């Protein structure tokens, strides 16, 4: 059983609904948001030019940098009086990307998250262990409202305190696990260390996302926990989690297309690509009130298909995200731009602007972030106490600035390789996509 009839509707019906909604959202964006009005005018477009879904290609793109330029509330289509919630994720500069919701947007979000959980046949009899972070991150509250909408029992455990999470999983006998894939593996590892067999618990399905993960990692998680591990996708700018979800067929993620209109474009030229070709996912929101977004360049690489799915849903499916077009790293579900690391480091007195960022997946599970940075000559030749203090200050600044902890290794002046061209700032040792996979 699907959650909403529209998920299995004939394509013509879905597309007719999309066009009606698209015309409305374009009109609203033009009328209410000066940023869009200016962008449309530059492109020589008026809302009446949108007569078919293909006409979407006439509209200009929106990018993450547009959120930064209009920080914090410049892209809203409503007054703050109508906003009932804000969330935020990392931006390309020091400032976060701020997103906002009206009461109806929260309803829409609960609806698409209920559909997501329903894709794994979650019902009111289930107990949902929700280890996505609660707070400005959209993961925790997004899953929470969807699970409540279904009537399931939510355990709002959030991230961290891993041993306690294992105890709660045992005692409450949760049947559904929601967290990032790397945390799912780490949880399994900690359970084993505590002498608890993860496969012996009551979990049967996991909704894992917020970061890229490979089919190999899926196999590993499914085996250790003896669950079906489903991939869920979303991003704050569009709504949070709830943009698309795998069903139990595990053959791609159904995009909830009556709310989010997807396209695939060539990341270099912006040309639209046909079904089946890999490119950058671009999304237009069709129903968002507070923050309608037109042709958002997600930076995520995937492909679309409208082939029928075994589950009966007719909504377009996207392949597992296979990478990103920019240098954004995702560490334990938190977005981190190398430029942010630089901004933070350069505010710490005593370090030099020569650094590398090393991302790894320790003990096969949790992502770790390590920053190697050169120190000034004076400090280096000084006593050890000062170095230890500098390391602490740098680690503190990174944790505050990035929202995720990083280990700092202070290295000798001139020991980090200098670059002749584009500096290679990041060494990513996680093999997230799994070698040899499409
Ligand atoms: O990560 C929303 C979310 C929360 C999705 C919980 C799923 C579960 P942001 O913090 O704004 O929002 O980060 C969005 O994360 O553009 C992708 O690059 C990446 N991402 C999200 N889900 C997946 C996934 C949330 N399933 C950015 N596979 C997106 C690969 C993903 N990458």
């Amino acid at each position: 059983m699907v959650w909403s009839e529209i998920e299995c509707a004939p394509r013509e019906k879905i597309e007719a609904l999309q066009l009606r909604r698209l015309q409305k959202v374009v009109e609203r964006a033009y009328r209410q948001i000066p940023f869009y009005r200016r962008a449309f005018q530059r492109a020589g477009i008026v809302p009446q030019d949108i007569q078919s879904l293909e006409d979407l290609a006439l509209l200009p793109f929106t990018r993450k940098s547009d959120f930064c330029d209009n920080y914090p509330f410049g892209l809203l289509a409503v007054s703050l009086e109508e906003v009932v919630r804000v969330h935020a994720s990392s931006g390309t500069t020091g400032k976060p990307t701020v997103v906002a919701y009206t009461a109806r947007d929260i309803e829409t979000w609960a609806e698409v998250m209920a559909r997501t959980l329903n894709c794994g046949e979650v019902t009111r009899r289930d107990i949902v262990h929700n280890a996505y972070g609660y707070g400005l991150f959209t993961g925790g509250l997004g899953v929470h409202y969807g699970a409540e909408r279904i009537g399931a029992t939510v355990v709002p455990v959030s991230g961290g305190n891993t041993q306690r999470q294992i105890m709660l999983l045992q005692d409450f006998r949760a049947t559904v696990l929601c967290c990032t894939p790397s945390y799912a593996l780490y949880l399994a590892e900690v359970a084993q260390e505590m002498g608890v067999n993860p496969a012996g618990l009551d979990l049967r399905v996991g909704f894992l996302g917020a970061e890229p993960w490979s089919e190999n990692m899926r196999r590993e998680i499914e085996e250790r926990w003896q669950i079906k591990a489903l991939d869920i996708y979303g991003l704050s700018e569009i709504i949070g989690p709830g943009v698309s979800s795998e069903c139990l067929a595990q053959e791609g993620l159904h995009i909830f297309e009556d709310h989010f209109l997807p396209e695939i474009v060539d990341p270099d030229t912006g040309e639209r690509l046909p079904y089946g070709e890999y490119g950058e996912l671009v999304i237009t929101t069709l129903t968002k009130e507070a923050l309608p977004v037109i042709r958002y360049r997600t930076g995520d690489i995937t492909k679309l298909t409208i082939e029928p799915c075994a589950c009966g849903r007719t909504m377009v499916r996207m392949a597992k995200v296979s990478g990103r077009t920019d240098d954004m790293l995702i560490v334990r579900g938190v977005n981190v731009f190398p430029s942010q690391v630089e901004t933070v480091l350069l505010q710490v007195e005593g370090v030099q602007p020569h650094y590398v960022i090393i991302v790894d997946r320790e003990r096969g599970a949790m992502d770790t972030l390590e920053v190697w940075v050169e120190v000034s000559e004076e400090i280096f030749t000084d006593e050890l106490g000062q170095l230890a203090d500098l390391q602490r200050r740098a680690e503190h600044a990174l944790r505050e600035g990035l929202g995720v902890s990083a280990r700092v290794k202070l290295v000798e002046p001139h020991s980090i390789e200098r670059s002749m061209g584009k500096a290679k700032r990041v060494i990513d040792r996680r093999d997230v996509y799994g070698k040899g996979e499409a």
Side-chain angles (χ1 to χ4, degrees):
M1 277 291 279
V2 291
W3 184 258
S4 294
E5 237 170 64
I6 189 78
E7 292 176 76
C8 291
R11 294 292 316 163
E12 312 80 71
K13 184 168 171 194
I14 296 175
E15 285 166 20
L17 178 64
Q18 286 177 323
L19 179 58
R20 276 202 308 279
R21 289 182 167 176
L22 175 65
Q23 289 172 325
K24 224 165 110 186
V25 75
V26 167
E27 168 73 37
R28 267 191 83 230
Y30 186 83
R31 220 169 352 99
Q32 309 279 66
I33 312 170
F35 163 80
Y36 283 109
R37 189 158 49 246
R38 283 196 301 271
F40 287 13
Q41 280 165 352
R42 270 199 304 277
I45 297 292
V46 288
Q48 293 69 30
D49 291 332
I50 306 300
Q51 293 299 327
S52 70
L53 288 177
E54 282 65 51
D55 291 338
L56 181 59
L58 301 170
L59 298 173
F61 294 115
T62 308
R63 292 182 165 77
K64 194 157 185 111
S65 57
D66 296 319
F67 278 78
C68 297
D69 296 345
N70 292 280
Y71 175 86
F73 301 129
L75 291 182
L76 299 199
V78 298
S79 74
L80 274 176
E81 278 169 38
E82 297 190 49
V83 169
V84 299
R85 174 102 63 82
V86 294
H87 281 283
S89 71
S90 307
T92 42
T93 60
K95 296 281 189 190
T97 300
V98 176
V99 297
Y101 305 75
T102 63
R104 216 183 105 205
D105 291 334
I106 299 284
E107 288 287 307
T108 305
W109 198 10
E111 156 76 21
V112 290
M113 279 311 298
R115 288 187 198 177
T116 295
L117 296 169
N118 182 251
C119 276
E121 295 179 356
V122 174
T123 70
R124 51 202 318 252
R125 286 184 296 280
D126 279 295
I127 299 180
V128 179
H129 184 94
N130 185 15
Y132 282 114
Y134 280 67
L136 284 175
F137 178 54
T138 53
L141 285 163
V143 167
H144 187 103
Y145 277 62
E148 283 192 350
R149 171 63 57 92
I150 282 185
T153 308
V154 195
V155 184
V157 64
S158 197
N161 210 337
T162 307
Q163 296 207 348
R164 187 155 154 267
Q165 300 224 3
I166 302 299
M167 179 188 81
L168 297 179
L169 280 168
Q170 277 185 299
D171 296 349
F172 297 173
R173 308 185 67 166
T175 48
V176 179
L177 176 65
C178 298
C179 62
T180 61
S182 52
Y183 197 59
L185 266 187
Y186 184 60
L187 271 168
E189 204 170 58
V190 171
Q192 269 151 349
E193 281 167 12
M194 291 167 65
V196 175
N197 175 15
L201 299 177
D202 292 59
L203 291 175
R204 69 179 167 77
V205 61
F207 293 87
L208 315 181
E211 64 185 5
W213 53 310
S214 63
E215 284 298 334
N216 289 341
M217 187 143 163
R218 184 198 320 256
R219 276 192 289 277
E220 187 80 33
I221 292 170
E222 292 195 327
E223 203 161 294
R224 291 206 196 182
W225 286 104
Q226 288 298 307
I227 60 172
K228 273 272 193 184
L230 305 182
D231 190 3
I232 68 170
Y233 169 86
L235 60 164
S236 317
E237 294 88 324
I238 298 303
I239 200 156
V243 172
S244 66
S245 172
E246 273 184 342
C247 61
L248 291 171
Q250 296 176 311
E251 293 278 351
L253 295 80
H254 293 278
I255 300 181
F256 301 121
E257 270 185 284
D258 49 333
H259 296 286
F260 316 111
L261 183 56
E263 305 169 80
I264 297 290
V265 304
D266 179 319
D268 298 322
T269 64
E271 287 296 314
R272 223 197 241 195
L273 297 174
Y275 287 126
E277 277 188 37
Y278 271 96
E280 182 177 353
L281 178 66
V282 171
I283 302 179
T284 301
T285 65
L286 294 176
T287 50
K288 284 266 294 299
E289 286 187 338
L291 187 67
V293 183
I294 309 284
R295 299 197 88 200
Y296 187 66
R297 301 282 295 251
T298 64
D300 295 315
I301 304 289
T302 182
K303 62 177 179 179
L304 301 180
T305 175
I306 46 163
E307 295 296 309
C309 179
C311 72
R313 288 179 182 81
T314 48
M315 299 211 153
V316 159
R317 277 172 292 155
M318 59 184 260
K320 232 173 185 324
V321 171
S322 68
R324 287 194 50 88
T325 56
D326 59 20
D327 59 355
M328 185 175 90
L329 293 163
I330 303 177
V331 180
R332 282 174 257 142
V334 178
N335 305 345
V336 176
F337 288 91
S339 54
Q340 269 181 297
V341 173
E342 183 168 306
T343 310
V344 173
L345 277 182
L346 295 188
Q347 286 162 4
V348 178
E349 209 175 316
V351 303
Q352 299 291 302
H354 301 292
Y355 63 94
V356 283
I357 300 166
I358 298 165
V359 195
D360 207 343
R361 190 156 280 169
E362 212 166 59
R363 300 150 77 201
M366 285 296 277
D367 293 342
T368 58
L369 188 63
E370 190 166 281
V371 179
W372 292 15
V373 60
E374 288 183 15
V375 298
S376 59
E377 296 277 1
E378 306 82 73
I379 291 196
F380 195 72
T381 47
D382 207 72
E383 68 218 69
L384 274 176
Q386 232 191 4
L387 280 177
D389 174 60
L390 177 55
Q391 183 186 2
R392 262 194 307 277
R393 279 191 287 124
E395 285 181 348
H396 177 77
L398 287 170
R399 193 167 50 247
E400 294 287 300
L402 307 178
V404 63
S405 56
R407 217 168 22 227
V408 170
K409 184 168 160 187
L410 301 175
V411 298
E412 263 179 73
H414 312 294
S415 60
I416 287 175
E417 198 186 339
R418 304 295 192 253
S419 135
M420 297 299 126
K422 253 179 162 342
K424 182 155 173 55
R425 296 283 189 208
V426 178
I427 301 171
D428 198 337
R429 294 187 179 141
R430 303 169 297 181
D431 178 23
V432 286
Y433 304 116
K435 292 216 167 60
E437 276 177 27

